[in-house]
Amino acid sequence: MQYESTLRPSSRTDGPPSSVSAHAAVVATPDWKMAVDLLEAELGGPLTSPDVLVVFINDAWQSRYPELLRELRQRTGASTIIGGSASGVLAEGREYEDMPGLSCLALWLPEVTATPVRLHQESLPLLDDPETWHAHTGVDPAGLTGVLLVADPYRMDAHALLCGVRGCYPGVPVVGGMTSASEHRRQTWLFFDEQVYDEGGVALLLDGPVRIQPVVAHGAEPVGEVWTVTKADRHCILEISGRPALDMLFETAKVVYGNEQQGGFSYGDWLIGFAANEYQDRFHRGDFIVRGILGSDHDRRGIVVGGMPRVGQTVQFQLRDAALADVDFRQHLLDVRAARDAQPAAALLFTCNGRGEDMFGEPDHDAATVQTLLPGVPVAGMFCNGEFGPASPKQTPVLHGFTATLGLLIPAGS
C-alpha cells in the first residue's frame, strides 16, 4: 500500500479574506483550454490562493485531466485540490449533463485546518482501528466539524468506507458523492491536487470555525405496503414476505396503475426503499435508503436491485415523483433560509444522475432551486452515482440514491 504524499494539512490564518468565503463557477465548452479561461473569468479573474479548490470535470476530457488540474493549480494557486469525474457538472443555478464541462468551488477558510486524505480499497482495514487511523491522518477527532467525501463507485466498497468513517469520527457530519461518467461508463476518476486516480476515494477533513450541515432531499415516494425481505441472493431479492418478489412488484404496480403491465413493464420509475430504522411503527418519505430496481430474474421471480439486500430488512416500493421531489427540496431549503443563526457561506450539491432533465422535464432544476431559495450562496457540484448524507433516526451517514444532497458550509457564529 502506498501512503506517501497522501496527507497534507492546509491552514491559513493571514491575508484576505478574513472570514470564510467562496466563489463558484461552471463552464461547458468542447475546448478544455478555453474552459479554464472561461472558468477564471467566471470566478472573477485571478484568485488569491484559495485554501481548497473542489473540482468536478466531465469525463469527455479524461485524457486531459492531468494538464487541466495543473493549469487550475497554476491559475488559482490553490493549496489543495480535490474532486472527481462526473456525468454532469453544476454551479450557480446551471447544470450541464453529459457534455464537456467543469465546475468548481474555491474556498477560503481562515483559521480552519483542511486535511486532504487519499483513500484506497486496501486501506479500509485501517479505519477499523480508530486510534491507528487518527495517528495516520494526524487529525484529532475531537475538533472535527465535517467530512467531505468523494469515492469511486466501482472499485471502492462504499458501505465499508462509511462504516469506517462513522467509527473513526462518530457524530461528525459526512457529505459527498460517488463519481460518475457519461453514458453510464463503468470507469470514473478522482482528483487529489494534480494527481488523477482511477480507484479509491478522496476526503477533506475540516477542523476549526466552520461546520458542514447536510441537507438530504428525496426524489421518490413510498407506494403500497411495507414488507420484509425473506429470501435474497447477492443483488437479487427473491422473496418478500414469503412471496416471489417480482409478483409483489407487479401487484403493487397494479394498485398504482390499475393494471399489472407484466408484458412491457418499465422499471425506470420504480425503486425500492430499505428502512433506515426497522423498528418504527410507521414509515414516510425520507425514512428509507432508496435503491434502483435494475431488472428481474424471471426464472426465480426475483428483482435485481442496487446494493446487497439481506433477509429481515424492511422494504417498501418507491416511485420517482418529480413534483414531490421538487416540494421536498424546496421545503428543506426554506428551512435552511429560516434558520437565521446558521447562514451558509457556501455549499456543495451532490445530485443523483437519475434526477436532472430526464426527471424534471427541464434543465437546471436542482441548481436553480438552490440559487433561488439561497440567493448569494456560492454553490457547485456534480451528478453522482450515489450521494453520502445522513439518514434518520440517528442521522447516520449512509449512501443514498435519487436524492439531492447539499453540504452547507456554516461559519461559526454565523
Side-chain angles (χ1 to χ4, degrees):
M1 293 183 288
Q2 296 293 324
Y3 299 112
E4 293 78 15
S5 301
T6 61
L7 301 170
R8 190 194 59 260
S10 169
S11 63
R12 64 184 285 158
T13 58
D14 58 346
S18 59
S19 60
V20 175
S21 61
H23 289 307
V26 62
V27 296
T29 174
D31 187 330
W32 74 268
K33 292 183 178 179
M34 181 181 293
V36 175
D37 293 335
L38 292 172
L39 189 75
E40 186 176 17
E42 286 261 335
L43 290 170
L47 300 177
T48 306
S49 299
D51 294 300
V52 178
L53 195 68
V54 185
V55 180
F56 305 111
I57 311 175
N58 180 266
D59 61 306
W61 292 330
Q62 59 91 9
S63 64
R64 299 292 188 178
Y65 281 163
E67 298 168 85
L68 208 157
L69 292 173
R70 283 195 297 270
E71 190 72 15
L72 286 173
R73 188 70 169 277
Q74 183 177 353
R75 299 277 189 104
T76 65
S79 299
T80 294
I81 296 177
I82 66 166
S85 67
S87 61
V89 295
L90 60 92
E92 301 298 87
R94 291 170 291 169
E95 299 175 359
Y96 296 106
E97 301 180 62
D98 296 315
M99 65 177 69
L102 72 150
S103 67
C104 78
L105 184 70
L107 292 167
W108 289 264
L109 303 168
E111 301 180 8
V112 173
T113 299
T115 305
V117 181
R118 170 79 174 111
L119 301 160
H120 305 269
Q121 178 69 27
E122 294 80 4
S123 67
L124 291 184
L126 284 176
L127 287 164
D128 293 336
D129 185 346
E131 290 188 5
T132 300
W133 181 257
H134 298 155
H136 174 61
T137 60
V139 176
D140 182 0
L144 210 63
T145 57
V147 177
L148 173 63
L149 185 62
V150 181
D152 168 59
Y154 304 114
R155 299 173 65 185
M156 172 62 87
D157 185 336
H159 177 71
L161 175 61
L162 281 174
C163 287
V165 171
R166 291 197 301 256
C168 289
Y169 306 113
V172 175
V174 179
V175 72
M178 304 293 277
T179 48
S180 60
S182 297
E183 301 176 358
H184 302 289
R185 297 188 186 99
R186 297 182 65 83
Q187 174 69 73
T188 69
W189 292 266
L190 296 142
F191 311 143
F192 189 100
D193 290 337
E194 298 171 25
Q195 302 300 312
V196 180
Y197 300 93
D198 63 358
E199 55 79 29
V202 292
L204 189 71
L205 311 181
L206 298 179
D207 183 346
V210 66
R211 62 182 173 86
I212 293 179
Q213 177 179 318
V215 172
V216 179
H218 294 268
E221 184 70 8
V223 294
E225 300 295 324
V226 176
W227 312 98
T228 302
V229 175
T230 51
K231 189 175 183 180
D233 180 18
R234 295 179 60 79
H235 297 282
C236 189
I237 299 177
L238 297 174
E239 291 183 2
I240 295 175
S241 296
R243 296 186 57 199
L246 190 60
D247 294 348
M248 300 292 274
L249 173 60
F250 286 152
E251 288 183 14
T252 303
K254 182 179 180 180
V255 172
V256 173
Y257 295 130
N259 60 75
E260 297 185 39
Q261 298 188 352
Q262 292 192 37
F265 189 87
S266 174
Y267 295 94
D269 288 334
W270 284 92
L271 314 165
I272 190 165
F274 297 88
N277 175 20
E278 298 178 351
Y279 301 103
Q280 64 191 71
D281 296 327
R282 296 184 179 181
F283 295 90
H284 307 280
R285 177 162 29 101
D287 292 335
F288 296 90
I289 300 168
V290 178
R291 296 287 181 263
I293 295 178
L294 308 180
S296 63
D297 182 335
H298 276 276
D299 292 339
R300 296 188 293 175
R301 305 300 291 171
I303 56 175
V304 181
V305 302
M308 298 286 282
R310 57 176 174 78
V311 172
Q313 282 185 295
T314 300
V315 296
Q316 188 171 11
F317 291 115
Q318 317 267 318
L319 267 178
R320 292 203 309 167
D321 190 306
L324 288 173
D326 176 70
V327 170
D328 193 40
F329 198 23
R330 288 178 181 275
Q331 186 58 59
H332 279 87
L333 295 176
L334 288 171
D335 291 343
V336 170
R337 194 165 70 176
R340 297 294 182 183
D341 60 339
Q343 292 303 293
L348 285 160
L349 175 58
F350 301 91
T351 189
C352 180
N353 54 18
R355 292 171 69 101
E357 190 168 0
D358 282 347
M359 180 172 178
F360 294 103
E362 61 183 20
D364 308 328
H365 177 274
D366 288 344
T369 301
V370 177
Q371 187 182 52
T372 299
L373 296 180
L374 299 180
V377 177
V379 179
M382 68 168 178
F383 285 84
C384 305
N385 270 319
E387 307 82 54
F388 299 123
S392 59
K394 298 181 180 180
Q395 298 301 294
T396 303
V398 300
L399 178 64
H400 290 280
F402 303 94
T403 70
T405 296
L406 200 63
L408 303 170
L409 288 165
I410 311 290
S414 66

